[in-house]
Amino acid sequence: QVQLAESGGGPVQAGGSLRLSCAAAGLTFRSHHMAWFRQAPGKEREFVAAITWGGGRKSYGEGLKGRFSISRDNDKNMLFLQMNNLKPEDTAVYYCAGTPAYGGKDYYSVDAYDYWGQGTQVTVSS
C-alpha cells in the first residue's frame, strides 16, 4: 500500500519560510515523478512544483519559481518543498503526489498523479 505523508506545515507570517516534507512508503520512490499541489478554500487544487524521478528536471507553477524550490532524496524516499518569502495568498493545504515515471502525461495536472498524501495546512498571516 502506497503511503505519502506530508509534514512541516503550520502558521507563518508573511515573508517567512517553511520547508515541507513528504515521506513515501510502499512504492519504488526513485521510479516515480513527484509533485506538490495546493488547494485553498473554495478553489481548485493547483500545481505548485514537480520533479522528475532522478531530480534532473524541475517545474514550478506560475509565479512560484524563485520563491519555492522542490527537491528529493531518493535514498531516504523523501520529497521536499522549500518555501521562502511566503505571502498570504500561499495559504492552502499542500499535497504531495506521485506517479510512475513513464508515459506521456501532463505533469501540471492532478489527473497525472496516482498517489496522494493527506495534505498539510500552511497559513500565512499578513
Side-chain angles (χ1 to χ4, degrees), residues 5 31 36 38 44 48 53 57-58 61 73 77 92 109-110 112 114 119:
S31 297
W36 290 97
R38 68 185 181 185
E44 293 187 353
V48 173
W53 63 272
R57 292 181 61 186
K58 303 175 184 180
D73 184 335
N77 290 359
S109 169
V110 296
D114 300 287

Side-chain angles (χ1 to χ4, degrees), residues 9-111:
V12 63
Q13 290 191 330
S17 297
L18 283 175
R19 188 189 194 212
L20 304 184
S21 299
C22 173
L27 76 169
T28 306
F29 185 70
R30 64 179 68 247
S31 297
H32 286 69
H33 298 322
M34 300 297 295
W36 290 97
F37 285 76
R38 68 185 181 185
Q39 188 166 18
K43 296 188 177 181
E44 293 187 353
R45 194 167 296 191
E46 68 170 348
F47 174 79
V48 173
I51 186 168
T52 52
W53 63 272
R57 292 181 61 186
K58 303 175 184 180
S59 302
Y60 296 92
E62 186 174 353
L64 299 181
K65 189 176 183 179
R67 293 196 301 122
F68 288 15
S69 179
I70 189 171
S71 61
R72 65 190 295 162
D73 184 335
N74 283 348
D75 292 331
K76 297 182 178 178
N77 290 359
M78 295 291 295
L79 178 72
F80 305 102
L81 183 69
Q82 177 67 42
M83 305 186 294
N84 299 325
N85 190 23
L86 283 161
K87 304 176 180 181
E89 52 263 42
D90 294 318
T91 295
V93 177
Y94 284 71
Y95 296 91
C96 169
T99 188
Y102 61 81
K105 305 175 185 177
D106 176 4
Y107 295 105
Y108 295 86
S109 169
V110 296
D111 295 332

